[in-house]
Amino acid sequence: MDDNQNPVQLNVSAIRHGTVIDHVDSRATFQVARILQVESEENKVLVGLNLESGNLGLKGIIKIENRRLTAEEANKIALVAPDATLNIIENFRVVKKAKVELPEQIERVVKCYNPRCITNNQPGDTHFKIIGSRPTALRCRYCERVMKGNAILLK
Amino acid sequence: MLVRALKPPFAVAGEMWFTEDLSFSLNFTESVLMAADLKNIISIRDFDRDGLLEVLEKAHVVEQDLPAGLLAGYVLGVMFIEPSTRTRLSFASAMVRLGGEVLDFGDPARSSLQKGESLSDTVKTLAGYCDVMAIRHPWEGVARHSAQIAGIPVINAGDGSNQHPTQTFLDLYTIQKTCGGLDGLRVGFIGDLRYSRTVHSLVEALSFFDDELCFVSPGALRVPEHLLDEIKQRGVDYQEYDTPDEILSELDVLYCTRIQEERFADKLEYEQVKTCYRIDKELIKKCGAKETLKIMHPLPRVDELSADIDDTPHAVYFEQAKNGVPVRQALLAMVLGKL
């Protein structure tokens, strides 16, 4: 759809410049919003829930004006919403589009759930290896425990 | 190749069009390579079948023809923040018999840890006084962390309920010697299968061999789900049982473990399971165990394994403890690049 052709809809659903995170599993939408810390965002943010989507059934969508995501944010999103797509918007048009993908390793952004893990007892970065998808499964590099799906704790 | 190759990591697939710096992904590569370094013995997970067999072969070489003086001039630092008899003394014996010396960290209550020094600072300091370090600590992942910062080889002598790789090597060595090999066996595990790091490490190691594994434990002490998932993925044939009577007659090896009070957060739970099993001569006879059955135990034992087994051909646990010396000699020599 050409957003320029519908100025009334633009006001509520489109952003001039920024990022649209689309195809988020509807149940994970607020998790993604928390990852992006939208509550402290000063620019326009639009959050949609339970929107119809062919593949996902119901999807969520988040639009943030004047912002591009960091790789760290994209990695976090991939952990909770592995089907999400990221769209860079310039002048109301999608100029770049990419699917988030789970990295093979992830550092810092996840907290180990094991209270006896050294990462919960000494200062230092966490480090996980991704060992499965759908549900996402991570193994802590240090204590070697596995976290899956909703049990994954983001820092 | 001794350790499993690790694929290079990537931060985000596709175009890197995000606004960040690339150091996020590049940092991974450095740390992963350090973990794959042959200078440390951290986890059985770092080894594949060939790697395990290579260590056992070197232990045989050391036991057959002890290269006395091989580690002369080298110092082993022993830092045990949890109690130990066999592991600590067999590390010391291994080093001394190869001509090296041992620097013992001593009682942690008399160290700077007691003054609030961080573990990292303690490790870095001790690393300056020795050439290789053996560490035991109740926190899981301490050995991996220490290996990253020590600058000298680090050997994991047990980290919480996670791993105890040198015990696993001596367990494998004992099975290999007493059963004639590591394939085609039916191996039973009994006792605390939930918290026992020796069990976890040995199960992982045996998953590289063509064995059938039988797990006997009360419901509260089952093998952790993540470990079962892992061996299932490797196609390991395993079964879980409530009592040893169901399977004892079919086993080639029975690996007993103590119910470890120190691993239970809930003492009531410990009281409920602490005397759940006892392997003795009568049970062995009643169940019709094979004459060739080998009974192993990482020791110390309490009530779960009767002393009346000691004088039977089934008992191999003291031999098992003794095997800690050649195995640790081989590992020390290997991480120091001498074997």
Side-chain angles (χ1 to χ4, degrees):
Chain A
M1 183 187 95
D2 186 348
D3 286 335
N4 287 323
Q5 292 174 359
N6 191 343
V8 176
Q9 192 180 350
L10 277 182
N11 223 9
V12 294
S13 65
I15 52 176
R16 179 181 292 277
H17 303 293
T19 303
V20 174
I21 303 103
D22 199 0
H23 301 108
V24 176
D25 179 334
S26 206
R27 293 162 297 185
T29 308
F30 284 112
Q31 267 181 292
V32 174
R34 270 198 298 277
I35 289 167
L36 300 175
Q37 296 182 307
V38 296
E39 69 277 10
S40 54
E41 180 63 55
E42 291 179 355
N43 290 297
K44 187 195 292 179
V45 177
L46 301 161
V47 179
L49 273 183
N50 295 333
L51 306 172
E52 285 179 11
S53 170
N55 296 332
L56 286 177
L58 294 176
K59 71 172 182 178
I61 192 166
I62 297 175
K63 304 182 179 190
I64 309 182
E65 202 164 53
N66 298 326
R67 178 161 163 194
R68 292 196 180 188
L69 307 190
T70 65
E72 194 161 327
E73 287 169 332
N75 281 335
K76 281 185 180 179
I77 291 171
L79 289 171
V80 299
D83 296 306
T85 52
L86 306 177
N87 303 277
I88 291 286
I89 308 295
E90 286 177 9
N91 286 322
F92 300 113
R93 293 179 186 278
V94 176
V95 294
K96 278 184 181 172
K97 189 168 189 156
K99 273 181 75 70
V100 296
E101 279 192 37
L102 285 171
E104 292 192 8
Q105 318 264 344
I106 191 155
E107 202 167 5
R108 295 196 298 269
V109 300
V110 177
K111 176 181 163 63
C112 185
Y113 80 102
N114 175 11
R116 288 188 298 211
C117 178
I118 186 168
T119 59
N120 288 317
N121 291 281
Q122 288 273 290
D125 291 338
T126 61
H127 195 132
F128 291 83
K129 186 176 182 188
I130 314 294
I131 59 167
S133 58
R134 291 177 177 74
T136 303
L138 315 178
R139 185 190 304 285
C140 174
R141 180 183 182 182
Y142 296 98
C143 72
E144 306 187 2
R145 297 292 178 92
V146 174
M147 291 195 288
K148 277 185 188 172
N150 293 336
I152 293 171
L153 305 171
L154 298 175
K155 278 192 169 178
Chain B
M1 184 66 179
L2 189 63
V3 291
R4 281 183 240 165
L6 294 169
K7 292 176 188 171
F10 302 93
V12 179
E15 287 181 72
M16 292 298 295
W17 48 266
F18 306 96
T19 57
E20 76 338 304
D21 64 83
L22 285 173
S23 61
F24 178 63
S25 55
L26 295 175
N27 284 340
F28 283 151
T29 309
E30 187 184 356
S31 50
V32 166
L33 287 174
M34 283 173 69
D37 192 337
L38 292 181
K39 283 185 177 172
N40 305 300
I41 307 292
I42 305 300
S43 169
I44 284 297
R45 210 179 286 284
D46 296 333
F47 292 82
D48 58 16
R49 181 186 167 104
D50 290 345
L52 296 171
L53 290 172
E54 187 180 340
V55 172
L56 302 184
E57 192 182 316
K58 292 193 171 172
H60 276 292
V61 169
V62 169
E63 191 172 25
Q64 295 296 314
D65 186 15
L66 180 72
L70 185 70
L71 297 185
Y74 287 93
V75 175
L76 165 68
V78 179
M79 181 172 156
F80 276 41
I81 313 296
E82 270 189 328
S84 168
T85 301
R86 272 151 293 275
T87 306
R88 185 187 198 115
L89 291 178
S90 67
F91 260 116
S93 172
M95 193 65 183
V96 169
R97 288 177 185 211
L98 288 176
E101 293 183 44
V102 179
L103 184 64
D104 198 315
F105 182 77
D107 181 358
R110 295 166 64 92
S111 74
S112 287
L113 283 172
Q114 197 61 27
K115 298 176 187 169
E117 183 177 51
S118 74
L119 178 75
S120 298
D121 284 0
T122 305
V123 167
K124 284 178 193 168
T125 303
L126 182 61
Y129 305 150
C130 55
D131 305 294
V132 54
M133 198 185 290
I135 297 182
R136 169 172 289 190
H137 199 286
W139 292 343
E140 292 154 21
V142 162
R144 180 86 69 196
H145 171 74
S146 300
Q148 289 174 194
I149 60 173
I152 61 169
V154 169
I155 300 179
N156 185 3
D159 58 335
S161 59
N162 182 35
Q163 286 272 331
H164 192 356
T166 63
Q167 176 73 41
T168 304
F169 279 115
L170 74 89
D171 290 342
L172 292 172
Y173 190 65
T174 303
I175 295 173
Q176 194 182 47
K177 279 177 74 179
T178 59
C179 297
L182 287 164
D183 289 298
L185 302 171
R186 187 170 280 139
V187 182
F189 292 84
I190 187 167
D192 177 2
L193 310 188
R194 178 178 170 193
Y195 296 110
S196 170
R197 60 193 172 203
T198 62
V199 169
H200 300 169
S201 294
L202 185 56
V203 166
E204 280 169 20
L206 288 176
S207 71
F208 286 111
F209 298 90
D210 184 20
D211 297 319
E212 185 180 330
L213 306 183
C214 306
F215 302 124
V216 185
S217 70
L221 295 178
R222 294 275 193 234
V223 177
E225 192 187 345
H226 67 87
L227 185 53
L228 291 180
D229 284 348
E230 194 169 332
I231 64 173
K232 212 182 294 175
Q233 279 177 8
R234 287 193 196 148
V236 173
D237 193 2
Y238 76 87
Q239 294 289 328
E240 292 184 293
Y241 301 89
D242 293 321
T243 66
D245 311 39
E246 302 169 69
I247 191 67
L248 201 51
S249 64
E250 297 175 31
L251 296 179
D252 300 298
V253 175
L254 177 62
Y255 194 96
C256 306
T257 60
R258 176 174 63 94
I259 308 293
Q260 305 171 94
E261 184 177 2
E262 64 273 25
R263 304 278 177 234
F264 283 80
D266 182 349
K267 294 304 170 197
L268 184 63
E269 193 183 7
Y270 168 72
E271 290 298 325
Q272 286 168 346
V273 296
K274 69 177 184 183
T275 55
C276 56
Y277 304 118
R278 179 173 169 81
I279 305 296
D280 57 20
K281 215 184 246 183
E282 192 185 332
L283 183 73
I284 297 291
K285 192 177 172 188
K286 186 187 89 179
C287 293
K290 292 180 183 175
E291 281 183 17
T292 53
L293 169 71
K294 304 301 178 195
I295 298 179
M296 299 174 67
H297 194 302
L299 303 176
R301 63 177 159 183
V302 189
D303 298 320
E304 68 282 358
L305 181 59
S306 168
D308 72 5
I309 302 279
D310 294 3
D311 60 359
T312 72
H314 300 301
V316 297
Y317 29 88
F318 290 114
E319 180 183 348
Q320 181 186 354
K322 190 176 172 186
N323 286 337
V325 176
V327 164
R328 292 186 171 109
Q329 283 175 323
L331 290 169
L332 284 166
M334 287 173 81
V335 297
L336 288 168
K338 294 288 183 180
L339 194 62

